[in-house]
Amino acid sequence: MKIRFALLLSFSLATAAQADESAAEIWTAKCKSCHGPDGKAQTQMGKKESIVDMSQAAWQQAESDAEIREVIAEGSTRNKKMKAYKDKLTPQQIDSLVAYIRTLKKG
Ligand code: HEC
């Protein structure tokens, strides 16, 4: 009985933590391997697939929030390596990633 309660408690704590996960943490866990910590895509995958440097002011200006959101949710039509995240992330998490990507702009 006690064990069951403990299991249940740790399970609900884990889910609560996941919902709270900040955009930076999601980025590190799910995006950084290809896009790099700073969005510059200086990674093996980034170089191989010529992934755009998201810190560039020109890229930031050319892409609307809606366009960025669309690629994250639906994946890229140009490159299958960029997968759809709509089943893995909530709409709120995707929105928070769009905001996070905006912070990657070179100062
Ligand atoms: C397995 C490697 C990989 C991972 C992981 C990955 N991406 Fe991508 N991403 C790509 C590739 C490759 C492209 C280039 C697609 C293209 O050219 O259309 C891309 C493109 C993008 C673009 C559009 C850039 C443009 O040129 O318009 C956005 C926004 C983006 N990714 C966000 C994310 C976010 C947010 C995550 C994490 C939730 C993520 N990506 C995870 C590989 C990845």
Side-chain angles (χ1 to χ4, degrees), residues 17-38:
Q18 217 165 18
D20 253 25
E21 211 175 14
S22 74
E25 284 166 331
I26 302 171
W27 180 270
T28 302
K30 297 196 157 68
C31 319
K32 194 182 95 175
S33 59
C34 296
H35 290 283
D38 46 12

Side-chain angles (χ1 to χ4, degrees), residues 32-75:
K32 194 182 95 175
S33 59
C34 296
H35 290 283
D38 46 12
K40 291 182 181 169
Q42 293 301 306
T43 62
Q44 217 175 356
M45 179 72 79
K47 287 175 189 157
K48 192 163 147 242
E49 303 295 331
S50 318
I51 303 180
V52 72
D53 173 355
M54 293 183 189
S55 73
Q56 290 175 99
W59 181 85
Q60 289 275 347
Q61 212 161 25
E63 300 290 319
S64 69
D65 286 357
E67 284 166 333
I68 297 175
R69 189 178 296 114
E70 171 90 6
V71 179
I72 302 171
E74 305 294 336

Side-chain angles (χ1 to χ4, degrees), residues 52 59 63 71 75-81:
V52 72
W59 181 85
E63 300 290 319
V71 179
S76 171
T77 50
R78 286 174 299 179
N79 190 327
K80 285 205 188 84
K81 296 258 161 48

